[in-house]
Short mmCIF file of all heavy atoms in Angstrom, two decimals:
data_model
loop_
_atom_site.label_atom_id
_atom_site.label_comp_id
_atom_site.label_asym_id
_atom_site.label_seq_id
_atom_site.Cartn_x
_atom_site.Cartn_y
_atom_site.Cartn_z
N GLY Z 269 0.78 -1.20 0.04
CA GLY Z 269 -0.03 0.01 0.03
C GLY Z 269 0.80 1.27 0.00
O GLY Z 269 0.55 2.26 -0.72
N PHE Z 270 1.98 1.26 0.81
CA PHE Z 270 2.81 2.39 0.74
C PHE Z 270 3.54 2.62 -0.54
O PHE Z 270 3.74 3.71 -1.07
CB PHE Z 270 3.88 2.27 1.91
CG PHE Z 270 4.62 3.54 2.19
CD1 PHE Z 270 4.01 4.82 2.22
CD2 PHE Z 270 5.95 3.48 2.54
CE1 PHE Z 270 4.73 5.97 2.48
CE2 PHE Z 270 6.64 4.61 2.81
CZ PHE Z 270 6.00 5.82 2.74
N THR Z 271 3.89 1.46 -1.24
CA THR Z 271 4.56 1.51 -2.47
C THR Z 271 3.59 2.13 -3.46
O THR Z 271 3.92 3.00 -4.40
CB THR Z 271 4.97 0.10 -2.92
OG1 THR Z 271 5.79 -0.51 -1.99
CG2 THR Z 271 5.58 0.16 -4.31
N ARG Z 272 2.33 1.81 -3.45
CA ARG Z 272 1.26 2.34 -4.33
C ARG Z 272 1.22 3.89 -4.16
O ARG Z 272 1.09 4.56 -5.14
CB ARG Z 272 -0.14 1.75 -4.05
CG ARG Z 272 -0.33 0.44 -4.59
CD ARG Z 272 -1.83 0.16 -4.64
NE ARG Z 272 -2.55 0.23 -3.38
CZ ARG Z 272 -2.47 -0.81 -2.52
NH1 ARG Z 272 -1.98 -1.96 -2.81
NH2 ARG Z 272 -3.13 -0.60 -1.34
N PHE Z 273 1.29 4.32 -2.98
CA PHE Z 273 1.30 5.72 -2.65
C PHE Z 273 2.48 6.41 -3.16
O PHE Z 273 2.31 7.55 -3.86
CB PHE Z 273 1.17 5.92 -1.16
CG PHE Z 273 1.30 7.36 -0.73
CD1 PHE Z 273 0.28 8.26 -0.89
CD2 PHE Z 273 2.48 7.88 -0.17
CE1 PHE Z 273 0.40 9.66 -0.55
CE2 PHE Z 273 2.59 9.17 0.21
CZ PHE Z 273 1.61 10.09 0.02
N VAL Z 274 3.69 5.93 -3.00
CA VAL Z 274 4.89 6.59 -3.39
C VAL Z 274 5.08 6.55 -4.90
O VAL Z 274 5.43 7.61 -5.42
CB VAL Z 274 6.11 5.93 -2.74
CG1 VAL Z 274 7.42 6.42 -3.24
CG2 VAL Z 274 6.09 6.04 -1.19
N ALA Z 275 4.75 5.36 -5.48
CA ALA Z 275 4.94 5.27 -7.00
C ALA Z 275 3.69 5.77 -7.75
O ALA Z 275 3.78 5.96 -8.97
CB ALA Z 275 5.21 3.80 -7.36
N ASP Z 276 2.62 6.05 -7.06
CA ASP Z 276 1.28 6.44 -7.74
C ASP Z 276 0.89 5.41 -8.76
O ASP Z 276 0.67 5.75 -9.93
CB ASP Z 276 1.44 7.81 -8.33
CG ASP Z 276 0.17 8.46 -8.70
OD1 ASP Z 276 -0.93 8.01 -8.10
OD2 ASP Z 276 0.10 9.35 -9.53
N VAL Z 277 0.74 4.16 -8.42
CA VAL Z 277 0.34 3.15 -9.25
C VAL Z 277 -0.87 2.45 -8.82
O VAL Z 277 -1.21 2.58 -7.67
CB VAL Z 277 1.50 2.07 -9.48
CG1 VAL Z 277 2.71 2.62 -10.16
CG2 VAL Z 277 1.79 1.44 -8.07
N ALA Z 278 -1.70 1.81 -9.70
CA ALA Z 278 -2.90 1.19 -9.30
C ALA Z 278 -2.74 -0.30 -8.93
O ALA Z 278 -3.75 -1.02 -8.66
CB ALA Z 278 -3.88 1.30 -10.41
N LEU Z 279 -1.51 -0.73 -8.99
CA LEU Z 279 -1.26 -2.20 -8.59
C LEU Z 279 -1.72 -2.52 -7.14
O LEU Z 279 -1.30 -1.81 -6.18
CB LEU Z 279 0.26 -2.56 -8.80
CG LEU Z 279 0.85 -2.33 -10.19
CD1 LEU Z 279 2.42 -2.48 -10.04
CD2 LEU Z 279 0.23 -3.16 -11.29
N GLU Z 280 -2.39 -3.66 -6.98
CA GLU Z 280 -2.80 -4.03 -5.76
C GLU Z 280 -1.65 -4.76 -4.94
O GLU Z 280 -1.62 -4.62 -3.67
CB GLU Z 280 -3.98 -4.98 -5.77
CG GLU Z 280 -5.29 -4.32 -6.27
CD GLU Z 280 -6.38 -5.37 -6.27
OE1 GLU Z 280 -6.38 -6.36 -5.46
OE2 GLU Z 280 -7.38 -5.13 -7.01
N ASP Z 281 -0.67 -5.36 -5.61
CA ASP Z 281 0.23 -6.18 -5.03
C ASP Z 281 1.70 -5.84 -5.76
O ASP Z 281 2.17 -6.73 -6.42
CB ASP Z 281 0.02 -7.60 -5.08
CG ASP Z 281 0.84 -8.49 -4.32
OD1 ASP Z 281 1.73 -7.96 -3.48
OD2 ASP Z 281 0.79 -9.70 -4.37
N PRO Z 282 2.23 -4.74 -5.56
CA PRO Z 282 3.42 -4.25 -6.25
C PRO Z 282 4.70 -4.99 -5.81
O PRO Z 282 5.67 -4.91 -6.56
CB PRO Z 282 3.46 -2.75 -6.04
CG PRO Z 282 2.82 -2.48 -4.82
CD PRO Z 282 1.69 -3.54 -4.73
N LEU Z 283 4.63 -5.56 -4.73
CA LEU Z 283 5.91 -6.22 -4.10
C LEU Z 283 5.79 -7.76 -4.21
O LEU Z 283 6.42 -8.50 -3.43
CB LEU Z 283 6.13 -5.80 -2.68
CG LEU Z 283 6.34 -4.27 -2.46
CD1 LEU Z 283 6.64 -3.94 -1.08
CD2 LEU Z 283 7.53 -3.79 -3.36
N THR Z 284 5.09 -8.23 -5.11
CA THR Z 284 4.87 -9.72 -5.29
C THR Z 284 6.27 -10.30 -5.68
O THR Z 284 7.15 -9.65 -6.22
CB THR Z 284 3.88 -9.98 -6.47
OG1 THR Z 284 3.70 -11.39 -6.60
CG2 THR Z 284 4.34 -9.35 -7.74
N GLY Z 285 6.27 -11.63 -5.51
CA GLY Z 285 7.66 -12.25 -5.77
C GLY Z 285 7.78 -12.90 -7.17
O GLY Z 285 8.86 -13.51 -7.45
N VAL Z 286 6.89 -12.62 -8.05
CA VAL Z 286 6.98 -13.09 -9.44
C VAL Z 286 6.49 -12.02 -10.32
O VAL Z 286 5.35 -11.59 -10.27
CB VAL Z 286 6.40 -14.52 -9.61
CG1 VAL Z 286 4.94 -14.43 -9.45
CG2 VAL Z 286 6.73 -15.01 -11.08
N ARG Z 287 7.32 -11.53 -11.38
CA ARG Z 287 6.98 -10.49 -12.20
C ARG Z 287 7.59 -10.80 -13.63
O ARG Z 287 8.65 -11.27 -13.73
CB ARG Z 287 7.51 -9.25 -11.70
CG ARG Z 287 6.89 -8.72 -10.33
CD ARG Z 287 7.91 -8.00 -9.56
NE ARG Z 287 8.95 -8.95 -9.05
CZ ARG Z 287 10.04 -8.58 -8.39
NH1 ARG Z 287 10.26 -7.43 -8.14
NH2 ARG Z 287 10.90 -9.52 -7.88
N ALA Z 288 6.81 -10.30 -14.62
CA ALA Z 288 7.41 -10.33 -15.99
C ALA Z 288 7.58 -9.02 -16.61
O ALA Z 288 6.83 -8.12 -16.22
CB ALA Z 288 6.49 -11.29 -16.88
N PHE Z 289 8.64 -8.94 -17.42
CA PHE Z 289 8.94 -7.55 -17.91
C PHE Z 289 9.31 -7.69 -19.36
O PHE Z 289 9.94 -8.70 -19.85
CB PHE Z 289 10.13 -6.88 -17.24
CG PHE Z 289 9.94 -6.78 -15.67
CD1 PHE Z 289 10.39 -7.84 -14.91
CD2 PHE Z 289 9.49 -5.71 -15.12
CE1 PHE Z 289 10.20 -7.72 -13.53
CE2 PHE Z 289 9.31 -5.52 -13.83
CZ PHE Z 289 9.61 -6.64 -13.00
N ARG Z 290 9.00 -6.68 -20.18
CA ARG Z 290 9.66 -6.46 -21.45
C ARG Z 290 11.04 -6.28 -21.17
O ARG Z 290 11.32 -5.29 -20.47
CB ARG Z 290 9.00 -5.43 -22.29
CG ARG Z 290 9.40 -5.33 -23.73
CD ARG Z 290 8.35 -4.56 -24.53
NE ARG Z 290 8.22 -3.19 -23.88
CZ ARG Z 290 8.86 -2.19 -24.17
NH1 ARG Z 290 10.00 -2.27 -24.93
NH2 ARG Z 290 8.64 -0.99 -23.60
N THR Z 291 12.03 -7.06 -21.63
CA THR Z 291 13.44 -6.93 -21.23
C THR Z 291 13.95 -5.57 -21.46
O THR Z 291 14.72 -4.99 -20.61
CB THR Z 291 14.29 -8.03 -21.88
OG1 THR Z 291 13.70 -9.27 -21.54
CG2 THR Z 291 15.75 -7.90 -21.52
N GLU Z 292 13.69 -4.97 -22.63
CA GLU Z 292 14.09 -3.65 -22.95
C GLU Z 292 13.75 -2.64 -21.92
O GLU Z 292 14.54 -1.78 -21.47
CB GLU Z 292 13.52 -3.21 -24.35
CG GLU Z 292 13.98 -1.86 -24.82
CD GLU Z 292 13.38 -1.47 -26.14
OE1 GLU Z 292 12.58 -2.30 -26.69
OE2 GLU Z 292 13.50 -0.30 -26.49
N ALA Z 293 12.57 -2.72 -21.39
CA ALA Z 293 11.95 -1.85 -20.34
C ALA Z 293 12.67 -2.06 -19.02
O ALA Z 293 13.16 -1.18 -18.34
CB ALA Z 293 10.53 -2.05 -20.09
N LEU Z 294 12.88 -3.29 -18.65
CA LEU Z 294 13.65 -3.61 -17.37
C LEU Z 294 15.06 -3.12 -17.44
O LEU Z 294 15.57 -2.56 -16.52
CB LEU Z 294 13.60 -5.16 -17.21
CG LEU Z 294 14.20 -5.74 -15.84
CD1 LEU Z 294 13.57 -5.09 -14.60
CD2 LEU Z 294 14.10 -7.21 -15.93
N ARG Z 295 15.72 -3.34 -18.58
CA ARG Z 295 17.21 -2.81 -18.73
C ARG Z 295 17.23 -1.35 -18.68
O ARG Z 295 18.33 -0.80 -18.35
CB ARG Z 295 17.72 -3.35 -19.93
CG ARG Z 295 18.22 -4.84 -19.84
CD ARG Z 295 19.45 -5.00 -20.75
NE ARG Z 295 20.03 -6.30 -20.66
CZ ARG Z 295 19.77 -7.30 -21.46
NH1 ARG Z 295 19.15 -7.19 -22.53
NH2 ARG Z 295 20.49 -8.50 -21.26
N SER Z 296 16.18 -0.58 -19.05
CA SER Z 296 16.27 0.80 -19.12
C SER Z 296 16.19 1.49 -17.77
O SER Z 296 16.60 2.68 -17.64
CB SER Z 296 15.02 1.43 -19.94
OG SER Z 296 13.91 1.35 -19.27
N VAL Z 297 15.87 0.72 -16.65
CA VAL Z 297 15.78 1.30 -15.36
C VAL Z 297 17.11 1.16 -14.67
O VAL Z 297 17.68 0.06 -14.68
CB VAL Z 297 14.62 0.48 -14.60
CG1 VAL Z 297 14.55 0.98 -13.17
CG2 VAL Z 297 13.30 0.67 -15.20
N THR Z 298 17.56 2.30 -14.14
CA THR Z 298 18.87 2.18 -13.37
C THR Z 298 18.59 1.92 -11.96
O THR Z 298 18.05 2.78 -11.15
CB THR Z 298 19.55 3.62 -13.46
OG1 THR Z 298 19.77 3.95 -14.92
CG2 THR Z 298 20.86 3.67 -12.71
N LEU Z 299 18.99 0.73 -11.55
CA LEU Z 299 18.70 0.26 -10.18
C LEU Z 299 19.92 0.54 -9.27
O LEU Z 299 21.03 0.15 -9.83
CB LEU Z 299 18.32 -1.20 -10.21
CG LEU Z 299 17.10 -1.65 -10.97
CD1 LEU Z 299 16.92 -3.06 -11.07
CD2 LEU Z 299 15.87 -1.00 -10.31
#
């Protein structure tokens, strides 16, 4: 819930343990 507030996303479960990404999008993020 706090992640939804900070990131302003509509995801109910943003910290889930399994996620899929378009690889190009995932690589574009500087972690």
Side-chain angles (χ1 to χ4, degrees):
F270 191 42
T271 304
R272 282 198 301 276
F273 171 76
V274 174
D276 193 23
V277 294
L279 301 172
E280 291 183 26
D281 192 8
L283 299 181
T284 180
V286 60
R287 297 143 291 174
F289 304 87
R290 192 162 53 83
T291 302
E292 180 186 355
L294 183 58
R295 279 210 174 105
S296 75
V297 176
T298 301
L299 299 173

